Amino acid sequence: MRPNVSYRAGGHAPGPEKQLELLVRRSLAARWKGRHQVHKYHGDEYSEVGMPDLFGHVEGRYYGLELKVAHGYFTDGQKQALMATYESGACAAGLLGFKSTLQQPASYWLLPAPIVMQFSYKDKRSWLPLLVVERGGLTYLNLTPLEVFLARP
C-alpha cells in the first residue's frame, strides 16, 4: 500500500523517505488538527549533526522524529541527538517505514529513543506498531503509540 502522495505536474515522484514524511505529516494533521506544528530539518555541511528529520510540538509538547525507510540505520549522531532530546523530557523517537511487497503489506513502527540506542533489525520486540488506516481514499497512520509517548511525565 503506497502512501497517497502528490507532486507537481512534470516533477519527479518523491523518494521513499519523502513519502514517509508526507504520510507522517498528513497523519499528524488529521490527529491534532490546529494543535500541532511540524517542521522539516534541512541539514547542510554547517548544520548540527544528528538533528531529527521532523520536529515540532503537539499541544505544547516538543517532539523529534528521525525517519528511516527499510534497511536504513540510525547514525551515532542521530542516536545521540534523539537521546539528548528524550533525556530533556521531550518525545524523541525513530519512525521506520517498510514498503508493501507481494508477501507483506506496508508496515510502520515507532521506536522510542532508548530503543533507537540499541537498534537492531533482528530484535523487533520493543518496536511499537503504527497501524495503517484508509479514509476517504487516503492513507493515515494511527498515532496512538506516539500520543501515549507524548503524554509521559
Side-chain angles (χ1 to χ4, degrees):
M1 167 181 348
R2 233 178 125 215
N4 309 70
V5 295
S6 61
Y7 47 94
R8 294 179 186 201
H12 299 285
E17 192 166 302
K18 182 64 174 180
Q19 289 179 15
L20 179 58
E21 175 196 335
L22 294 172
L23 175 61
V24 171
R25 284 175 172 274
R26 182 182 324 110
S27 301
L28 285 165
R31 175 64 189 91
W32 289 286
K33 186 174 183 171
R35 297 176 292 146
H36 85 291
Q37 280 192 340
V38 62
H39 304 280
K40 168 73 174 154
Y41 184 75
H42 297 281
D44 60 23
E45 65 268 21
Y46 304 107
S47 301
E48 187 176 336
V49 173
M51 288 294 294
D53 292 320
L54 295 178
F55 63 94
H57 68 84
V58 170
E59 296 179 340
R61 197 70 206 261
Y62 180 83
Y63 67 87
L65 295 174
E66 182 61 42
L67 306 179
K68 293 291 176 198
V69 292
H71 308 297
Y73 283 88
F74 299 96
T75 66
D76 288 339
Q78 290 167 338
K79 289 178 181 180
Q80 291 168 358
L82 283 175
M83 202 59 200
T85 301
Y86 178 82
E87 288 173 346
S88 76
C91 174
L95 199 150
L96 293 174
F98 294 89
K99 290 177 108 179
S100 60
T101 65
L102 293 175
Q103 295 83 18
Q104 291 186 328
S107 62
Y108 302 92
W109 305 84
L110 186 70
L111 289 73
I115 305 306
V116 170
M117 294 299 290
Q118 304 162 23
F119 177 73
S120 167
Y121 279 103
K122 294 178 182 175
D123 183 10
K124 299 178 183 176
R125 291 176 294 176
S126 300
W127 297 15
L128 304 172
L130 297 175
L131 301 177
V132 176
V133 178
E134 298 286 337
R135 192 170 61 218
L138 293 174
T139 303
Y140 298 88
L141 296 177
N142 179 335
L143 296 175
T144 300
L146 179 62
E147 184 173 2
V148 170
F149 191 48
L150 281 164
R152 79 178 176 91

